[in-house]
Amino acid sequence: MPEVKNKNTDQIITGKEVFVPFLEEEKIQSRITELGKQITKDYQGKTPVFIGVLNGAFLFLADLIKNIKIDCEIDFFKLSSYGDEKISSGKVTLLKELNCDVTGRDIVIVEDIVDSGLSIKFIEDLIMRHNPASMKVCSLLVKPDSLKYNVKIHYIGFNIPSKFVIGYGLDYAQKYRNLRSIYVLRE
Ligand code: IMP
Ligand code: MG
């Protein structure tokens, strides 16, 4: 087998902007392993439902549940709030409803990134209306300085500065989700 080198390790040039390396694949994966261990421990004897928020959380959810060593289920919400911009529109629309019944279940909402907290607040309100047994939030990234809504993030991969990031599920105008590492906008 020929050795395949990842060519995307330097910077990402989108046209107007330059993104530089921020969180490497190895660092992301080892943090996800730790999160998986913690969640496995916290949910012993239970069968949690991991609900990913599309599109951004699809990679994180996939890697996270590979590190969950108890029975679990998955489902997805699809929200839209950003359009193709780097700044939130401040509006959230539900594009895909859940297929599972959350009543009486232990729910873990899985997000790629929490910025203002609006999306999480929206989802929490939606889920709470269906009386789950419990509800926690797990986000790979959190921008603590950008939080505007009163939300508690129970499992956090990394707290990061309020800068725009791409890669590992996170997009800019729908692109760059396929990058294995996370890159930050160079200012
Ligand atoms: P919030 O509703 O303001 O918390 O924004 C959360 C959503 O906005 C996330 O699920 C992402 O889809 C998107 N988002 C926030 N910050 C970034 C970023 O830096 N890069 C890419 N997407 C982001
Ligand atoms: Mg998202």
Side-chain angles (χ1 to χ4, degrees):
M1 284 273 279
E3 195 186 333
V4 182
K5 280 244 167 77
N6 182 2
K7 286 191 184 136
N8 293 328
T9 44
D10 273 321
Q11 44 184 36
I12 310 293
I13 300 160
T14 69
K16 281 177 284 174
E17 289 101 349
V18 177
F19 288 83
V20 294
F22 182 58
L23 285 171
E24 281 164 15
E25 182 180 8
E26 295 71 27
K27 210 171 161 190
I28 297 169
Q29 293 301 331
S30 76
R31 185 69 189 115
I32 293 175
T33 306
E34 289 173 3
L35 287 173
K37 275 194 192 137
Q38 184 64 49
I39 295 172
T40 300
K41 196 164 147 245
D42 294 352
Y43 285 85
Q44 281 302 318
K46 296 178 175 160
T47 306
V49 187
F50 292 91
I51 302 182
V53 186
L54 293 171
N55 291 331
F58 78 112
L59 286 182
F60 177 43
L61 181 99
D63 286 336
L64 182 68
I65 64 160
K66 285 187 248 173
N67 289 283
I68 300 296
K69 311 292 182 198
I70 48 170
D71 280 349
C72 63
E73 298 175 20
I74 63 158
D75 201 351
F76 293 96
F77 266 125
K78 186 166 170 126
L79 299 184
S80 154
S81 69
Y82 265 49
D84 283 347
E85 300 305 319
K86 292 202 286 292
I87 295 165
S88 172
S89 64
K91 270 190 287 181
V92 180
T93 18
L94 188 62
L95 299 177
K96 183 207 164 291
E97 255 287 7
L98 291 178
N99 298 327
C100 73
D101 187 6
V102 305
T103 307
R105 303 300 304 271
D106 294 294
I107 306 297
V108 182
I109 302 168
V110 181
E111 254 288 27
D112 50 354
I113 185 163
V114 176
D115 188 3
S116 70
L118 176 66
S119 308
I120 284 295
K121 187 94 197 73
F122 179 89
I123 292 168
E124 277 187 351
D125 291 349
L126 214 73
I127 288 180
M128 287 316 282
R129 272 186 250 144
H130 296 276
N131 299 312
S134 70
M135 187 186 61
K136 285 190 181 179
V137 179
C138 174
S139 187
L140 179 65
L141 306 174
V142 177
K143 297 179 184 172
D145 300 333
S146 297
L147 275 175
K148 288 195 203 115
Y149 295 83
N150 184 21
V151 287
K152 181 163 166 50
I153 319 298
H154 306 80
Y155 301 104
I156 298 177
F158 304 92
N159 279 307
I160 66 164
S162 296
K163 292 184 178 171
F164 195 77
V165 288
I166 57 167
Y168 192 67
L170 292 146
D171 74 305
Y172 174 34
Q174 299 306 324
K175 294 202 188 78
Y176 313 109
R177 297 191 196 275
N178 53 320
L179 302 173
R180 304 174 79 106
S181 300
I182 294 174
Y183 295 75
V184 66
L185 180 65
R186 193 174 73 189
E187 281 159 10

